[in-house]
Amino acid sequence: MTAKTLYQRLGGYDGVVAFVDDLLPRLRDDEELGRFWQHRGADGVARERQLLVDFLCASCGGPLYYTGRSMTLTHRGMGISGEDWERFVCHATATLQALSIPETESAEIGRFVSSLKNEIVDA
């Protein structure tokens, strides 16, 4: 019997979309992190949302193919600090809790997110 992928355990595409749709407003509304979305048009925000959905689906073992840029290239020059990263992690954790994601999956997501820190945070 084959173990289910994280993508499947999160509820597939709809589960990933629920995560993204809970997380992004938290980030945009944050008094510090909101600066990264200033002066962005609705179309750019919608495109970014879809790229995040695709990235997460592909990274969690789903059938989608991520066509976006690497995390390093995407975040280069944005000035994301360690403090910004910690605020992001708090919002991601709140999203996992709000969606009642089980501990096993939350821990797996936490490890994955942590693995991206060096690609996203400016040293």
Side-chain angles (χ1 to χ4, degrees):
M1 195 164 178
T2 304
K4 288 186 175 182
T5 64
L6 179 58
Y7 175 81
Q8 292 167 321
R9 289 180 282 139
L10 292 174
Y13 187 84
D14 291 342
V16 172
V17 166
F19 178 82
V20 169
D21 285 347
D22 188 273
L23 178 61
L24 285 180
R26 291 175 188 272
L27 300 176
R28 287 191 308 260
D29 293 343
D30 182 278
E31 62 188 33
E32 293 296 324
L33 301 180
R35 73 184 186 275
F36 297 114
W37 285 272
Q38 287 180 335
H39 312 293
R40 298 284 313 272
D43 183 61
V45 171
R47 181 178 183 278
E48 178 181 280
R49 176 194 168 274
Q50 189 59 54
L51 284 169
L52 180 57
V53 167
D54 295 351
F55 176 75
L56 293 176
C57 286
S59 298
C60 292
L64 274 74
Y65 182 76
Y66 174 65
T67 60
R69 297 174 292 176
S70 71
M71 291 298 103
T72 300
L73 185 57
T74 297
H75 296 92
R76 184 181 298 149
M78 291 180 67
I80 298 173
S81 68
E83 182 179 306
D84 294 330
W85 177 261
E86 294 305 320
R87 290 179 81 94
F88 161 77
V89 169
C90 287
H91 288 300
T93 300
T95 291
L96 292 170
Q97 292 170 348
L99 297 175
S100 300
I101 304 296
E103 181 58 36
T104 300
E105 285 73 19
S106 291
E108 195 170 336
I109 291 166
R111 287 188 299 274
F112 171 69
V113 168
S114 293
S115 76
L116 298 173
K117 182 178 180 180
N118 290 337
E119 297 178 49
I120 294 172
V121 175
D122 282 342

